[in-house]
Amino acid sequence: MSRVGHGLPMLAGMSRAELEQWAQEQGEPVFRGRQLADWVFHRLELDPRQMTNLPHSLRELAATVLVAPAGRVTAVDAAEDGTEKLLVRLADGQSVEMVLIPAEARMTFCLSTQVGCPVRCRFCASGAEGLVRNLQAGEIIEELVFGARRIGRLPDNVVFMGIGEGLLNLEELLRAIESMVSPDGFGMSPRRLTVSTSGIVPGIRRLAEFGRELTLAVSLHAVNDELRARLIPDGFRYPVCEILAAVDEYRERAGRMVTLEYTLLDGVNDSPADARELARISREHHAKINLIPYNATDTAFRRPPRRVLETFFRTVEQCGGRVTMRQERGSSRTAACGQLRRRHAAGSEDVLSGGE
Ligand code: SF4
């Protein structure tokens, strides 16, 4: 159970069974817990005072002893293409970002799993300051609910590709995922949830054991260890061969083809030889390659020219790799992950509250 502040439980972090037990501990019948759960999971309501079919006394009690909600949306940055980036301020004053991405009548939410990130990839704004703290499951769920209230429904897809390395906060991430996919929770299809990782091998193996048909995206970014060492510091970097072995294990156990994410950096990992090697990896490990043209931040890396991007794509394709190039979304000035948070790090006026 997620707890914030003075150790009070977070409503968003409680399962249906925990809410039923909580109701009974307050001397209420078990169905009151079910009603609470229905408000959260079906009606996307986190404020007990709005749960009109509960007795007034229980609403007041729940509003007092359960933290609901713990966070709030304090800034929104909208791009011309409809993408919206939300800044979520947490109970302790820290903040994370989430992104709402509309595409072809589908809505994808990109959620954060940590405040900051311990991996500190050298091309990433989110990792620049290292890890501040892990998010609790309830805080991850609140991101989902804040976004869902904004569009009036649950998203079609969720990708855990915001700030943080989810597989280094695995137990809380798995709790949040269980709540999202459980028929007793939000009831989303596990196939519509994508867990992204920078290649944390023990985490990939644990995810394979978890037994849900989640989509897995592994950020490879380089085809050999020497090049990868230039992009990802030592602390949490695993050898490419171990990552690919874990990818094979995940594909076999979860029955899901894995996507290898590859951020293209000018003059670093964008040569024809890199493309041919990437195609070989795709073929031998039955993996999809998703090319991501670098979205420049204030790092030393640059995005390759358009003709280099096109040549790289064609080379992977012609060498038998399954390849896509990520469509760019949210190309406003704060599009790169971590930038909205950094811009508002010194505090900001609330423009929205309570996930509205
Ligand atoms: S790219 Fe992902 S894993 Fe790497 S520092 Fe950024 S958030 Fe962390």
Side-chain angles (χ1 to χ4, degrees):
M1 191 183 299
S2 305
R3 293 178 186 274
V4 293
H6 302 292
L8 295 177
M10 279 183 76
L11 177 58
M14 296 171 77
S15 66
R16 184 173 290 268
E18 286 169 340
L19 286 166
E20 289 173 358
Q21 187 185 339
W22 180 84
Q24 286 180 297
E25 286 168 2
Q26 314 311 312
E28 296 283 342
V30 70
F31 78 88
R32 294 295 186 200
R34 279 200 288 277
Q35 286 177 310
L36 260 166
D38 287 343
W39 277 101
V40 174
F41 299 128
H42 298 163
R43 301 203 213 181
L44 308 170
E45 179 57 74
L46 291 177
D47 181 355
R49 291 196 170 93
Q50 306 301 321
M51 299 177 179
T52 46
N53 62 353
L54 296 179
H56 183 261
S57 58
L58 186 60
R59 276 186 259 162
E60 287 303 314
L61 180 67
T64 310
V65 303
L66 301 178
V67 181
R72 63 186 192 278
V73 178
T74 56
V76 177
D77 199 315
E80 304 84 36
D81 60 11
T83 300
E84 288 188 325
K85 189 175 283 192
L86 272 51
L87 186 72
V88 178
R89 196 169 172 84
L90 307 169
D92 62 356
Q94 296 292 342
S95 55
V96 290
E97 294 174 13
M98 63 168 294
V99 190
L100 282 56
I101 309 163
E104 296 165 10
R106 290 198 311 273
M107 175 62 80
T108 298
F109 288 178
C110 176
L111 306 185
S112 294
T113 54
Q114 296 179 307
V115 182
C117 180
V119 181
R120 307 186 84 154
C121 299
R122 294 194 173 95
F123 51 84
C124 173
S126 302
E129 294 149 26
L131 178 69
V132 178
R133 71 170 175 86
N134 286 327
L135 289 189
Q136 298 187 58
E139 293 173 314
I140 299 170
I141 292 293
E142 283 198 353
E143 290 180 68
L144 175 80
V145 174
F146 292 162
R149 287 176 65 87
R150 196 160 172 81
I151 64 168
R153 65 176 177 88
L154 289 170
D156 303 288
N157 303 297
V158 170
V159 296
F160 297 97
M161 292 185 180
I163 299 172
E165 166 52 72
L167 297 193
L168 292 176
N169 183 22
L170 193 51
E171 294 314 314
E172 294 299 313
L173 176 61
L174 292 184
R175 264 187 69 90
I177 287 173
E178 194 54 39
S179 174
M180 290 180 193
V181 303
S182 167
D184 279 342
F186 293 96
M188 300 178 70
S189 164
R191 288 172 166 252
R192 299 208 168 256
L193 270 53
T194 299
V195 175
S196 173
T197 176
S198 61
I200 306 297
V201 168
I204 296 173
R205 297 226 151 95
R206 173 80 178 83
L207 206 61
E209 289 163 11
F210 184 52
R212 295 282 194 183
E213 289 185 322
L214 301 165
T215 302
L216 176 65
V218 178
S219 295
L220 197 62
H221 300 323
V223 292
N224 60 56
D225 292 321
E226 197 185 352
L227 183 50
R228 222 164 171 265
R230 287 175 58 193
L231 308 177
I232 304 175
D234 289 348
F236 296 101
R237 191 184 69 252
Y238 287 81
V240 170
C241 65
E242 288 185 26
I243 292 172
L244 294 176
V247 161
D248 288 342
E249 186 178 327
Y250 188 84
R251 189 188 65 251
E252 280 157 21
R253 293 190 70 164
R256 304 282 289 145
M257 183 181 276
V258 175
T259 298
L260 299 177
E261 306 278 356
Y262 193 94
T263 298
L264 281 158
L265 303 161
D266 187 24
V268 176
N269 62 358
D270 60 349
S271 72
D274 290 323
R276 288 192 292 274
E277 180 62 4
L278 201 52
R280 183 193 66 76
I281 289 171
S282 168
R283 291 194 314 269
E284 290 187 5
H285 297 273
H286 309 286
K288 285 182 279 191
I289 306 294
N290 189 29
L291 301 177
I292 308 163
Y294 183 56
N295 194 7
T297 66
D298 46 1
T299 70
F301 296 97
R302 293 286 164 265
R303 173 200 191 90
R306 188 182 183 86
R307 98 191 127 64
V308 174
L309 295 174
E310 288 170 359
T311 303
F312 195 96
F313 178 89
R314 272 203 311 279
T315 305
V316 178
E317 197 174 43
Q318 285 164 1
C319 292
R322 291 168 186 255
V323 61
T324 55
M325 180 100 74
R326 180 183 288 180
Q327 193 190 350
E328 291 189 76
R329 309 290 310 197
S331 52
S332 70
R333 68 195 181 287
T334 57
C337 65
Q339 289 185 10
L340 183 63
R341 175 172 162 259
R342 275 145 58 107
R343 191 151 60 86
H344 287 260
S348 63
E349 279 181 25
D350 289 9
V351 296
L352 294 166
S353 62
E356 294 299 320

